[in-house]
Amino acid sequence: MTSTTLLARPSITVSDFRCGAAPGDRPFVEQHGCHSISYVRKGSFGYHSRGRLHELVAGSFLIGLPGAEFTCTHDHVCGDECLSFFLAPELVAAIGERSAAWQVGAAPPLSELMVLGELAQAAAEGRSDIGLDEIGHLLANRLVEVVIGDRRKPAKVTARDRRRAVETALWLDAHSDRPIDLDHAAAEAGVSPFHFLRLFARVLGVTPHQYLVRSRLRHAARLLAEDDRDVTDIAYDVGFGDLSNFVRTFHRAAGVSPLKFRQASRGMRKIFQERLALH
């Protein structure tokens, strides 16, 4: 078993697990240390816990309960890969613990959950501009709703909520060149990360991380059109910590690479200047 921590925040930790166990390998007893949700993206394994046996395949979810002992078996295939979210007690409380949802052990491949699992995997691989912590919050909330069949009505958005969302968006835009995560933005807004994510998305139609990334892209587009600095310098200056991520994200947004965008913007500017000179 190999484990790679992809994200560590006060409210949530995300890890990539890859198990190479094969049929015939002796299982051993483990114990869940906190509430957790693991998306099975590849392979299969058996999950024995609290007197119940679950067979998990690609698209299934393992739901961990703090203190519960379990064993995993591989009687049918060799190995599996999971994207796992470990939730702090404060986040579980914010979602609404509703213990029945956390005692089921596993959820089958349900379309309502699998689409979020794949979005989470895309975020983990840098193929989506939603934050990995954000999709973890959304996935946990949706899983609880689906498992116990209790979709709560959205809370009414107050004038204070709207002001808080707008003010935080302005703050995010002004500081978009800095490393900012969901917990940091929520602290600026003065509410818990879970509630901040919901009110921000409800008021502005995008998640905080999506807004932050798009602010960085907007600043980058302006600099590419107006500034002669190297593309790498611009990427870091606007807040991207990795050049390849910047190029990939910009291409997904603009349909062209940053360099071609710059060339096109300079070409259009030249055309406009030539037209103005004719008048």
Side-chain angles (χ1 to χ4, degrees):
M1 170 79 77
T2 61
S3 172
T4 303
T5 299
L6 305 178
L7 181 80
R9 300 284 184 262
S11 61
I12 192 167
T13 298
V14 186
S15 296
D16 178 280
F17 286 94
R18 303 186 182 214
C19 177
D25 287 352
R26 187 174 180 177
F28 55 92
V29 178
E30 302 176 74
Q31 186 178 54
H32 292 292
C34 63
H35 290 88
S36 63
I37 301 170
S38 296
Y39 176 57
V40 184
R41 66 170 183 263
K42 185 178 181 181
S44 174
F45 61 95
Y47 175 71
H48 304 248
S49 182
R50 305 170 71 226
R52 301 178 66 184
L53 169 61
H54 305 272
E55 294 290 351
L56 286 83
V57 295
S60 302
F61 287 84
L62 187 157
I63 305 171
L65 180 69
E69 294 186 343
F70 67 95
T71 59
C72 291
T73 58
H74 291 80
D75 297 331
H76 311 297
V77 299
C78 178
D80 62 88
E81 296 181 6
C82 294
L83 184 65
S84 299
F85 298 82
F86 301 95
L87 316 180
E90 295 78 14
L91 174 54
V92 177
I95 295 171
E97 185 169 345
R98 291 177 284 181
S99 59
W102 298 100
Q103 294 177 6
V104 298
L110 301 172
S111 57
E112 304 97 312
L113 299 177
M114 287 192 297
V115 291
L116 292 181
E118 286 303 314
L119 180 58
Q121 186 59 39
E125 296 173 358
R127 294 184 287 107
S128 170
D129 60 2
I130 192 169
L132 195 52
D133 49 358
E134 294 177 340
I135 190 61
H137 284 66
L138 296 173
L139 176 60
N141 184 64
R142 184 63 175 142
L143 185 140
V144 170
E145 291 177 345
V146 170
V147 167
I148 67 174
D150 177 25
R151 188 175 179 88
R152 293 171 292 179
K153 294 181 179 179
K156 183 179 179 180
V157 179
T158 66
R160 183 182 182 187
D161 289 335
R162 293 184 178 280
R163 182 174 65 254
R164 179 177 280 150
V166 169
E167 289 177 349
T168 309
L170 295 175
W171 178 83
L172 285 170
D173 188 58
H175 299 85
S176 60
D177 59 328
R178 305 178 186 179
I180 301 173
D181 57 37
L182 181 61
D183 290 328
H184 190 183
E188 180 68 22
V191 295
S192 74
F194 178 71
H195 290 299
F196 173 67
L197 174 60
R198 291 201 299 173
L199 79 85
F200 191 97
R202 198 176 302 137
V203 172
L204 297 177
V206 293
T207 70
H209 188 72
Q210 286 175 324
Y211 182 77
L212 179 64
V213 170
R214 292 168 194 184
S215 290
R216 290 169 176 166
L217 289 174
R218 180 167 55 83
H219 295 315
R222 185 182 68 248
L223 291 174
L224 287 168
E226 300 176 353
D227 201 294
D228 291 326
R229 276 179 293 170
D230 187 78
V231 170
T232 301
D233 293 335
I234 289 176
Y236 290 127
D237 286 347
V238 300
F240 284 91
D242 179 81
L243 178 60
S244 62
N245 181 40
F246 168 66
V247 173
R248 182 173 57 249
T249 304
F250 193 94
H251 193 287
R252 187 168 60 238
V256 294
S257 69
L259 183 58
K260 288 188 176 180
F261 178 87
R262 165 175 274 172
Q263 293 170 344
S265 67
R266 300 292 170 85
M268 290 301 296
R269 187 166 61 188
K270 183 178 180 180
I271 291 172
F272 287 139
Q273 290 172 342
E274 290 174 349
R275 287 181 178 177
L276 288 173
L278 294 175
H279 293 284

